[in-house]
Amino acid sequence: MAEDVLSQNEIDALLSAISTGEMNAEELKEEQHEKRVRVYDFKRALRFSKDQIRSLSRVHENFARLLTTYFSAKLRTYVHITVASVDQAPYEEFIRSIPKMTILNIFSLPPLAGRILFEINPNIAYAMLDRVLGGRGASFNKVDNLTEIETTIMKQLFEHAAENFQEAWSSIVEVEPTMEDFEVNPQFLQLVSPNETVVIISLNMTIGETTGMVNICIPHVVLEPIIPKLSVHYWMQNQQLTESKPEEYQALSKSLEKTTIEAKAILGEAEVSIEEFIQLKPDDVIQLDQLISDPLLLCIDEEPKFYVQPGKKRRKMAVQVLEEIKGGGRRQ
C-alpha cells in the first residue's frame, strides 16, 4: 500500500533511533507479528468493489454529459453537470441525508428488477421550472405546495431526461426507464429495506447562476444481475469484441462503393451585378474567369478533388482526369 511506504527521511530517523538505543529492534519484530484488527460495521456492508464503483462512475460521467446537452437545449441557458461522487451506503442513511421536502422521481428499469430514485434539490428544480415558464431561471423553494401544473411540468422534464439515462447505460445493459411515481416527502417513500445497500451517484448541477445537487439512488437488488459486467475485465473484453473484423471491413467497403455521389465540372465563374443579371437576354455573352488553356475543376459533393480537361466520349460531353488536388482548393 502507498501509505505503508516510508520516505527516505523516515528511514534515516528509524535507523538513527535503533543505533542510539532509543528503539529496540526486537520490539519492532514483535509488533509485526501482532494480529491487526480492523473495525467492520455490518450495518454498512460494502457490497460493491472499488472496480465496480469506478465503472458506475464512468457510466454516469457519460450520463452527466448527455444531461448537460439535453437541459441546455431544453432550458435555453447555461447548464453544466458533473459527477461529484459515487458512494455506497445503507438506504436509511441516504434518506436521512436528503432534505425533508425535496423533488423525488421514482423510475423502474425493465428488464431489471426494483426501482431507482432521482432526488433533485428544490433550488435546481424550481430554476428549471422558471426557465420553462419563460423566466430567467430564478431559484425559489415552495416544494410543500406544488400546483398540479408545476408537478406535470417537472414530471415531463425528468421523464424525458431518463432517455439519456437509457443511452448512458446501453454499453452495459439495455433498459427502458419508466417513471413510476413523483413524491416530495422522502418519509413516505420506501424504496427498499432500511439496511439495503444502495449506490448513490451525486451530480453537481449548475443552471445559470443557480447550483445544486441531483442524487441518483440505485439499490443493490437492481444492479445484482449485472454486477459481473461492472468490471474492467468486462469492459476490455467488450472493447475487443467491438473491434472490426476483416470480413466486416470488406462488407462495409462494398456498401460504400455503391454509394452515389455528385460530380460536376466547373467551366468557370463570373461576377455580375443585379442590374446586369436582370437585363440578360438570349444571345448575350458572359465572360468567365477560366482560360481555354487551363484545366477545369471537378468537384465531388462541392469539394474540389481533380483537375480535368473537357472532351467527348460516344457523342457525350466528358472530362478526363489530369491531376488529383492535394488538400483541396484551386491551383494558383
Side-chain angles (χ1 to χ4, degrees), residues 141-166:
N141 190 344
K142 65 180 190 71
V143 69
D144 53 336
N145 56 352
L146 277 171
T147 67
E148 189 174 339
I149 293 177
E150 290 170 341
T151 301
T152 302
I153 292 174
M154 286 192 180
K155 279 184 179 180
Q156 291 177 350
L157 270 175
F158 289 99
E159 197 168 8
H160 292 305
E163 296 173 3
N164 298 288
F165 188 85
Q166 178 182 13

Side-chain angles (χ1 to χ4, degrees), residues 260-264 299-302:
T260 58
I261 56 176
E262 181 187 36
K264 59 181 179 181
C299 293
I300 307 296
D301 284 342
E302 305 299 333

Side-chain angles (χ1 to χ4, degrees), residues 16 53 57 319:
S16 176
I53 292 294
S57 178
V319 291

Side-chain angles (χ1 to χ4, degrees), residues 176-195:
E176 297 180 5
T178 305
M179 181 173 281
E180 297 285 339
D181 200 3
F182 180 89
E183 187 58 69
V184 295
N185 191 340
Q187 301 303 321
F188 295 153
L189 179 65
Q190 190 63 40
L191 201 65
V192 289
S193 62
N195 293 329

Side-chain angles (χ1 to χ4, degrees), residues 201-218:
I201 301 99
S202 297
L203 306 179
N204 191 17
M205 190 169 185
T206 302
I207 300 176
E209 298 180 357
T210 304
T211 59
M213 301 296 294
V214 174
N215 293 308
I216 306 170
C217 173
I218 308 178

Side-chain angles (χ1 to χ4, degrees), residues 62-265:
N62 186 29
F63 178 51
R65 287 191 290 270
L66 294 170
L67 270 190
T68 298
T69 304
Y70 166 73
F71 281 122
S72 296
K74 192 74 175 178
L75 305 177
R76 302 180 303 280
T77 188
Y78 171 78
V79 176
H80 185 61
I81 305 173
T82 56
V83 176
S85 65
V86 179
D87 201 2
Q88 52 183 318
Y91 176 70
E92 183 182 21
E93 185 175 318
F94 165 71
I95 289 297
R96 288 201 306 266
S97 68
I98 61 179
K100 293 182 179 179
M101 300 295 287
T102 184
I103 305 298
L104 303 168
N105 296 285
I106 301 93
F107 290 89
S108 61
L109 292 178
L112 298 180
R115 300 180 298 170
I116 67 171
L117 174 66
F118 278 63
E119 186 268 323
I120 300 92
N121 185 278
N123 290 333
I124 286 293
Y126 278 107
M128 292 180 182
L129 183 64
D130 190 51
R131 281 297 303 171
V132 171
L133 296 177
R136 299 178 59 184
S139 175
F140 54 94
N141 190 344
K142 65 180 190 71
V143 69
D144 53 336
N145 56 352
L146 277 171
T147 67
E148 189 174 339
I149 293 177
E150 290 170 341
T151 301
T152 302
I153 292 174
M154 286 192 180
K155 279 184 179 180
Q156 291 177 350
L157 270 175
F158 289 99
E159 197 168 8
H160 292 305
E163 296 173 3
N164 298 288
F165 188 85
Q166 178 182 13
E167 183 177 347
W169 275 86
S170 61
S171 58
I172 295 179
V173 61
E174 293 291 339
V175 293
E176 297 180 5
T178 305
M179 181 173 281
E180 297 285 339
D181 200 3
F182 180 89
E183 187 58 69
V184 295
N185 191 340
Q187 301 303 321
F188 295 153
L189 179 65
Q190 190 63 40
L191 201 65
V192 289
S193 62
N195 293 329
E196 173 76 16
T197 302
V198 297
V199 174
I200 305 160
I201 301 99
S202 297
L203 306 179
N204 191 17
M205 190 169 185
T206 302
I207 300 176
E209 298 180 357
T210 304
T211 59
M213 301 296 294
V214 174
N215 293 308
I216 306 170
C217 173
I218 308 178
H220 177 268
V221 67
V222 176
L223 297 175
E224 190 172 11
I226 59 170
I227 282 179
K229 297 182 178 181
L230 300 176
S231 63
V232 174
H233 176 72
Y234 173 81
W235 284 78
M236 293 178 66
Q237 185 181 30
N238 193 40
Q239 186 176 4
Q240 290 175 357
L241 290 174
T242 55
E243 291 180 356
S244 60
K245 299 177 181 179
E247 56 270 20
E248 293 176 351
Y249 177 80
Q250 291 175 2
L252 182 60
S253 298
K254 288 181 179 178
S255 298
L256 287 175
E257 289 173 0
K258 296 177 182 178
T259 305
T260 58
I261 56 176
E262 181 187 36
K264 59 181 179 181

